[in-house]
Amino acid sequence: MTWGLDTDAEQAADQLVTFHDAGGTLVDTADVYQDGHSEEILGDLLTTVLTRDDVVLATKAVARRHDGPFGGGASRAALLSALDGSLRRLRTDHIDLWQLHAWDPAVPLDETLAALDTAITSGRVRYAGVSNYAGWQLATAATHQQAHPTRTPLTSHQAEYSLVERGIEREALPAATHHGIGTLAWAPLGRGVLTGKYRNTTPAGSRGADPHLASYVDHHRTPRANRIVQAAATAAEGLGTTPLTVALAWVRDRPGITAAIIGTRTTTQLKAALNAEELTLPPAIQAALDDVSEPEQGYPERGPARR
């Protein structure tokens, strides 16, 4: 998401090679990241520093790219236009995972999902997923596709998920699990808060200090989040690692999670995140983190009250 803004093409190349050399495969972007510049940088890199077959390439459509009837949204025309644009910027003939970036209440669901079918049958897309869907939206879309043998099944749901944001556990994650859909967790570090760097101050040069991104980070700078960050820091100290590593390992090993999507700006940050692959949280620490971050639940998720 930062490629083309905080991360230039040279830094992006270094990140991509580092990620690939560490065994990484999934690279996720979207048509609206930096007005398409993120896709352009990635497309160039897949013809220079790596080959197209080295990555599982994921991108998204639906968010508004420009004015006009086909500049955004989940209509058939807007989606297929967005797909053609992504293919052009990514310099490829197919997307491995094409995702609907958000639910569009202005378009009949059947029209939206039929566009996914067209993208698949035309060979331009291999698998289809959705992003930021509520539980009922995800279940409705999945059921619609599964009810018709010729329709494209949904394979993934991308949603925000971390120790400080466990809202999808109420409905979206159970819906995904029930329908055999993998969940990709974005912002697994709580938009940066779980690194611990915002505990006492706002570091210069951080996203929290950027006037354009401060509100994005501040969303999770709450008393509850502070308690969770402190718990992650305490766990990290006992394990001889960092809060960042603890937070990523926790997300990676949660039931139903396929992968944690990290959005690093620098190669140094990327290498720090990749260290989480070396850590398995002891059951006692995992249970303690579960408890301190337990989201509030009411009826019906918690079940009916006893009489």
Side-chain angles (χ1 to χ4, degrees):
M1 188 174 67
T2 64
W3 287 13
L5 179 65
D6 299 319
T7 306
D8 62 26
E10 184 177 351
Q11 293 170 321
D14 192 40
Q15 284 192 42
L16 187 60
V17 171
T18 299
F19 182 63
H20 172 263
D21 289 348
T25 54
L26 175 67
V27 181
D28 177 72
T29 184
D31 59 355
V32 292
Y33 291 169
Q34 314 317 322
D35 196 27
H37 192 34
S38 172
E39 288 186 329
E40 290 174 344
I41 290 176
L42 181 54
D44 288 342
L45 295 181
L46 293 180
T47 61
T48 54
V49 301
L50 293 181
T51 68
R52 173 64 183 83
D53 291 340
D54 285 328
V55 303
V56 176
L57 181 59
T59 192
K60 314 179 196 73
V62 171
R64 182 151 293 279
R65 308 179 309 282
H66 55 75
D67 294 334
F70 309 131
S75 69
R76 175 184 175 86
L79 285 175
L80 296 181
S81 174
L83 175 58
D84 289 340
S86 288
L87 290 170
R88 183 175 62 254
R89 289 186 292 272
L90 290 165
R91 300 174 67 175
T92 185
D93 62 356
H94 72 280
I95 305 297
D96 294 311
L97 176 63
W98 194 42
Q99 303 154 98
L100 301 176
H101 212 156
W103 177 272
D104 187 349
V107 178
L109 180 61
D110 185 67
E111 178 179 344
T112 297
L113 296 178
L116 293 184
D117 297 334
T118 298
I120 293 284
T121 56
S122 67
R124 290 175 287 176
V125 169
R126 299 293 190 258
Y127 297 93
V130 297
S131 179
N132 301 311
Y133 272 33
W136 72 266
Q137 295 167 344
L138 178 59
T140 300
T143 299
H144 183 283
Q145 295 300 87
Q146 291 171 350
H148 301 85
T150 61
R151 304 297 292 260
T152 300
L154 299 180
T155 60
S156 69
H157 177 226
Q158 189 173 150
E160 182 173 5
Y161 188 55
S162 70
L163 277 165
V164 296
E165 179 52 83
R166 294 175 59 181
I168 64 169
E169 291 180 14
R170 288 191 289 272
E171 292 190 358
L173 192 55
T177 302
H178 176 76
H179 288 282
I181 295 170
T183 294
L184 302 170
W186 65 263
L189 292 174
R191 309 187 185 196
V193 169
L194 286 164
T195 63
K197 64 184 175 184
Y198 296 109
R199 279 188 290 173
N200 302 313
T201 185
T202 301
S206 67
R207 291 177 183 174
D210 187 326
H212 300 292
L213 295 172
S215 61
Y216 174 80
V217 176
D218 288 347
H219 179 76
H220 289 315
R221 298 182 75 177
T222 66
R224 173 181 176 272
N226 289 340
R227 293 192 296 272
I228 296 170
V229 172
Q230 183 57 52
T234 300
E237 184 177 356
L239 294 170
T241 185
T242 65
L244 178 154
T245 301
V246 168
L248 281 179
W250 182 88
V251 170
R252 180 201 62 207
D253 295 336
R254 293 295 290 174
I257 300 300
T258 298
I261 297 179
I262 52 177
T264 57
R265 291 181 295 159
T266 68
T267 302
T268 299
Q269 291 179 344
L270 174 61
K271 289 179 178 178
L274 292 174
N275 286 335
E277 285 299 283
E278 306 301 321
L279 176 66
T280 298
L281 294 176
I285 289 180
Q286 186 170 351
L289 292 172
D290 291 351
D291 289 343
V292 74
S293 64
E294 183 73 25
E296 292 185 4
Q297 290 190 345
Y299 176 83
E301 293 86 8
R302 191 172 57 191
R306 293 182 179 178
R307 295 186 177 181

